Amino acid sequence: MSSRRLLLLAARILGVCLVLSAVPATTATATTAGPPVAAAAPTVSEGEVMPHLQALQQIADRNGGNRAHGTQGYADSVAYVRKALDRAGFHTELRPFSYGGAAGYNLIADWPGGDPNHVLFTGAHLDSVKQGPGINDNGSGAAAVLTTALRVADAGLKPTRHLRFAWWGAEEGGLVGSTDYVRKLSADDRSKIDLYLNLDQAGSKNTKQWLVVHDNEHGETEGQQAFEAWFAARGIATFDIGVGGSDHESFGNAGIPSSGFSTGISDCIHEACDDLANVDPQTETTSTNALLGVVWQLAATPAASRH
């Protein structure tokens, strides 16, 4: 999560905590009505998610303790994710950009099929800060998105919407990679993106509620309702946050509806201690299954044109 937006999100999270302390636990769970969770959505276990985080930790260990933009650690992280996607049958592409005098890359992966005029886009930033390995911020989100994409391939999913996944570079520099990607899209390509879903810090310890993005400015309800319904069905509390602080902001600034969620800022944000021990495996698995459930549901849902 970019450092220049940490104070804003921290304030929002503090507000959430104050609300939680003032209301009974039974009222903390979101009650917003939404479409039913797709019954056919798969679920994954801790053993299917955590190996990706272990691999990212090992990459950081081999490269000076981080996976930051412009370093070999980031390049190796991209290579790890891309190799898994290529093997699974995705069409992958590196989208280059430059920041701080160094070359950067966004990794984009498209799953064959689905209506190309209605794109369901899911992403997470893959880079860390130079001070640490960035396993919760944001290896956790990147691993959840990768696990979801691989499950799409395992199932041979035939979606109604076209599915696109992304792993963004240089988010820690100020949403640089995702902003560059969106800026270079034509107006027509932007209009084809029905919804962007973002994960940032998906495995924070001591998580009591999931912070769901509400894009009220663009009238987005489909994603937020799907996430809130998934969590509510399992008795998990949610609170809404606005668009800002991570890569969904790049899409929102371009008028593209967005949602997604975070488990909040961890104790080791942007520090060397943001390592594998900074991620709660159960929280990470819950986050991944939430994303799976919502992607499965929305992939099968036709959408009205945004043209």
Side-chain angles (χ1 to χ4, degrees):
M1 184 168 291
S2 61
S3 56
R4 68 190 179 90
R5 291 173 173 81
L6 288 177
L7 289 178
L8 177 61
L9 184 53
R12 288 172 176 156
I13 293 170
L14 177 59
V16 166
C17 294
L18 291 173
V19 171
L20 277 175
S21 65
V23 298
T26 54
T27 64
T29 301
T31 57
T32 304
V37 176
T43 59
V44 295
S45 67
E46 175 184 322
E48 294 172 86
V49 185
M50 293 304 293
H52 297 309
L53 289 176
Q54 292 164 3
L56 293 177
Q57 178 70 67
Q58 291 168 2
I59 288 171
D61 292 344
R62 294 194 302 266
N63 292 282
N66 72 78
R67 304 178 300 99
H69 162 74
T71 69
Q72 188 62 44
Y74 181 71
D76 288 354
S77 298
V78 171
Y80 171 80
V81 175
R82 189 178 193 183
K83 183 177 180 180
L85 294 165
D86 286 342
R87 285 180 171 176
F90 282 84
H91 172 73
T92 62
E93 181 181 5
L94 292 181
R95 298 287 186 93
F97 62 89
S98 179
Y99 171 67
Y105 301 93
N106 296 315
L107 173 60
I108 309 298
D110 285 88
W111 180 243
D115 185 349
N117 292 314
H118 292 285
V119 177
L120 177 61
F121 205 149
T122 304
H125 78 86
L126 186 56
D127 63 312
S128 75
V129 294
K130 290 185 177 179
Q131 292 86 345
I135 301 303
N136 190 41
D137 183 19
N138 184 38
S140 61
V145 174
L146 176 58
T147 303
T148 298
L150 295 179
R151 269 305 181 116
V152 165
D154 289 343
L157 189 65
K158 299 185 182 302
T160 300
R161 287 166 160 162
H162 180 72
L163 299 183
R164 181 171 298 148
F165 299 87
W167 291 262
W168 307 114
E171 189 269 359
E172 298 292 3
L175 318 181
V176 178
S178 58
T179 297
D180 183 83
Y181 174 84
V182 174
R183 180 178 59 83
K184 291 176 179 176
L185 292 174
S186 67
D188 184 52
D189 284 338
R190 290 184 189 184
S191 72
K192 293 176 181 178
I193 302 172
D194 287 343
L195 176 61
Y196 173 71
L197 305 176
N198 191 73
L199 265 67
D200 198 334
Q201 297 194 68
S204 300
K205 289 186 170 181
N206 303 313
T207 296
K208 303 301 182 185
Q209 70 283 319
W210 272 249
L211 308 179
V212 178
V213 174
H214 282 221
D215 186 0
N216 297 325
E217 181 177 350
H218 303 108
E220 198 290 310
T221 58
E222 187 179 34
Q224 71 176 55
Q225 288 183 356
F227 280 122
E228 288 174 345
W230 191 96
F231 288 118
R234 292 153 181 83
I236 299 173
T238 61
F239 281 88
D240 67 283
I241 58 174
V243 176
S246 191
D247 292 296
H248 53 293
E249 184 175 342
S250 301
F251 286 79
N253 288 342
I256 299 170
S258 65
S259 188
F261 63 83
S262 173
T263 56
I265 296 174
S266 69
D267 292 338
C268 285
I269 183 74
H270 293 177
E271 297 180 21
C273 57
D274 187 11
D275 56 16
L276 197 60
N278 194 41
V279 172
D280 178 64
Q282 183 176 352
T283 299
E284 173 72 5
T285 304
T286 297
S287 292
T288 304
N289 281 320
L291 182 62
L292 268 166
V294 168
V295 167
W296 234 256
Q297 176 181 312
L298 299 185
T301 305
S305 175
R306 292 181 57 239
H307 291 274

